[in-house]
């Protein structure tokens, strides 16, 4: 696999473990077992994605994950579900990944609304 992608994954896992470890008072063996299970599930997930995605598509998805991890995770979920249902028969190219991203963006597009409220100074006089 890609060493740069693996380094990113390791940093992300360490960040997540660091956040989780602050308020957690579990048995160390249970915590280690849970960590191992999560790591194994994530490895299986990444292995499946590497089989489904072309190298260019994996690179693009990794770059998206750096900026918007939740969006990348959602796209990965969609791709894995489609593969499990048999809708994906060949490797997903970068172009197909881009079209998938565009479809997801149109479905989840949020309208941004900006409201400006001016504060009135006590010294201002509207008369």
């Amino acid at each position: 696999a890609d060493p740069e992608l693996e380094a990113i994954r390791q940093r992300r896992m360490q960040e997540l473990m660091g956040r989780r470890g602050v308020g957690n008072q579990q048995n160390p063996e249970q915590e280690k077992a849970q960590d191992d299970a999560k790591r194994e599930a994530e490895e299986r997930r990444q292995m499946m994605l590497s089989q489904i995605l072309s190298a260019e598509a994996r690179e693009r998805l990794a770059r998206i994950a750096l900026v918007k991890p939740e969006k990348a995770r959602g796209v990965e979920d969609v791709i894995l579900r489609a593969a499990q249902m048999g809708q994906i028969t060949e490797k997903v190219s970068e172009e197909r990944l881009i079209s998938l991203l565009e479809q997801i963006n149109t479905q989840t597009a949020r309208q941004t609304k900006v409201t400006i409220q001016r504060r009135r100074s006590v010294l201002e006089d509207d008369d």
Side-chain angles (χ1 to χ4, degrees), residues 1 51 70 90 100 127:
Q51 292 173 353
E70 59 279 345
E90 71 243 3
L100 226 167
D127 293 339

Side-chain angles (χ1 to χ4, degrees), residues 3-110:
E4 183 179 325
L5 187 60
E6 189 60 36
I8 293 168
R9 283 190 202 119
Q10 290 297 325
R11 275 184 273 159
R12 181 77 176 135
M13 287 297 288
Q14 288 175 353
E15 287 174 13
L16 291 173
M17 286 182 194
R19 285 187 205 147
R20 203 187 84 211
V22 172
N24 202 355
Q25 299 295 329
Q26 276 191 343
N27 186 351
E29 292 86 28
Q30 289 175 340
E31 190 173 324
K32 186 177 184 322
Q34 286 178 349
D35 288 344
D36 290 344
K38 285 181 184 178
R39 191 174 303 114
E40 185 177 319
E42 186 63 28
E43 286 175 4
R44 276 185 277 140
R45 177 184 177 87
Q46 293 304 322
M47 187 179 297
M48 288 172 42
L49 283 170
S50 68
Q51 292 173 353
I52 297 169
L53 297 172
S54 68
E56 296 85 16
R58 274 199 331 263
E59 288 175 23
R60 181 173 289 267
L61 200 53
R63 288 192 305 267
I64 292 169
L66 288 174
V67 179
K68 296 189 177 189
E70 59 279 345
K71 180 173 276 201
R73 187 75 174 193
V75 171
E76 290 173 357
D77 291 342
V78 168
I79 291 171
L80 289 173
R81 261 188 262 119
Q84 288 172 346
M85 289 188 202
Q87 296 172 348
I88 296 177
T89 56
E90 71 243 3
K91 285 198 171 214
V92 175
S93 66
E94 186 175 11
E95 292 79 23
R96 185 155 179 210
L97 179 68
I98 291 170
S99 68
L100 226 167
L101 285 165
E102 289 172 349
Q103 289 175 357
I104 291 172
N105 281 339
T106 57
Q107 292 172 358
T108 61
R110 287 185 263 163

